[in-house]
Amino acid sequence: MNTAVLVIDMINTYDHEDAELLVPSVRQAVPGVRTVLDSARKGGVDVIYVNDNFGRWRSDHTEVLQAALEGPYGDLVRPVQPDEGAMFVMKTRHSVFFQTPLQYLLEQHKVRHVVLCGQVTEQCVLYSAIDAHVRHLEVTVVQDAVAHIHADLAQAALRMMERNLGARLSTARDVDLS
């Protein structure tokens, strides 16, 4: 079973309504995301960044990345920024699949298992896990590599993903990338 790591919305300027609540959790999740990225890159596993375009309709991923790196929270982006081997898909809504070419990309790479990390657990990660599940993909969520706005909702979302979707919950150090 081919695996791909999906890095959700980690390229972020944190210039939005819930940023004050989100940033502390992102600080805790960054080391886990970095561990997953290092393992994937070392093992030759596809890494696909799926990121909000933040309403920048005339931009591409390099412009979004540059804005995030130069912003006040560049320290949260630098450790997890894409390398030259990473793929990048822009999105405009919560799910990584909604009106994006991600499903086609995963099919082309024969991916049957997605490992989710990034933000926000109770929003984009949850909706992406649901959409992956309905596409018959195996789903793993890396608990220490996802960030939340509301801890109680994030815990409920993780339970829902595990119980209702059959998602595997893992830690960054123990994630199965095979």
Side-chain angles (χ1 to χ4, degrees):
M1 174 168 54
N2 283 346
T3 296
V5 171
L6 304 183
V7 182
I8 303 170
D9 290 335
M10 288 301 291
I11 311 305
N12 199 317
T13 59
Y14 300 96
D15 182 25
H16 50 79
E17 184 179 317
D18 294 325
E20 191 174 298
L21 297 172
L22 177 59
V23 165
S25 181
V26 173
R27 286 198 190 287
Q28 292 178 340
V30 163
V33 175
R34 183 63 203 210
T35 297
V36 172
L37 288 172
D38 290 345
S39 296
R41 291 169 179 157
K42 186 176 182 179
V45 173
D46 284 338
V47 174
I48 306 168
Y49 287 75
V50 187
N51 215 89
D52 198 301
N53 75 350
F54 302 107
R56 296 171 177 237
W57 292 101
R58 290 186 173 89
S59 67
D60 64 13
H61 75 276
T62 56
E63 291 176 35
V64 171
L65 176 60
Q66 197 60 38
L69 288 170
E70 292 173 357
Y73 296 100
D75 65 307
L76 297 177
V77 177
R78 240 172 254 105
V80 298
Q81 68 183 326
D83 67 3
E84 62 281 345
M87 292 170 266
F88 210 103
V89 173
M90 298 295 281
K91 69 181 185 70
T92 59
R93 300 298 292 167
H94 293 81
S95 172
V96 296
F97 291 96
F98 183 74
Q99 296 186 349
T100 73
L102 181 63
Q103 182 172 345
Y104 180 77
L105 174 60
L106 295 176
E107 288 170 358
Q108 291 302 300
H109 287 244
K110 298 183 180 8
V111 170
R112 299 299 316 141
H113 174 220
V114 291
V115 175
L116 307 181
C117 60
Q119 55 188 314
V120 169
T121 309
E122 66 272 26
Q123 295 175 15
C124 299
V125 175
L126 172 62
Y127 303 157
S128 298
I130 292 168
D131 279 356
H133 174 75
V134 300
R135 286 166 173 78
H136 303 287
L137 296 168
E138 297 291 324
V139 177
T140 298
V141 180
V142 186
Q143 297 177 88
D144 57 344
V146 290
H148 61 268
I149 295 171
H150 302 286
D152 60 330
L153 295 177
Q155 286 305 311
L158 288 168
R159 279 193 64 222
M160 287 172 54
M161 287 183 269
E162 182 178 42
R163 183 173 180 91
N164 298 345
L165 308 178
R168 284 178 261 164
L169 302 183
S170 181
T171 63
R173 191 170 358 141
D174 296 328
V175 68
D176 180 6
L177 296 177
S178 59

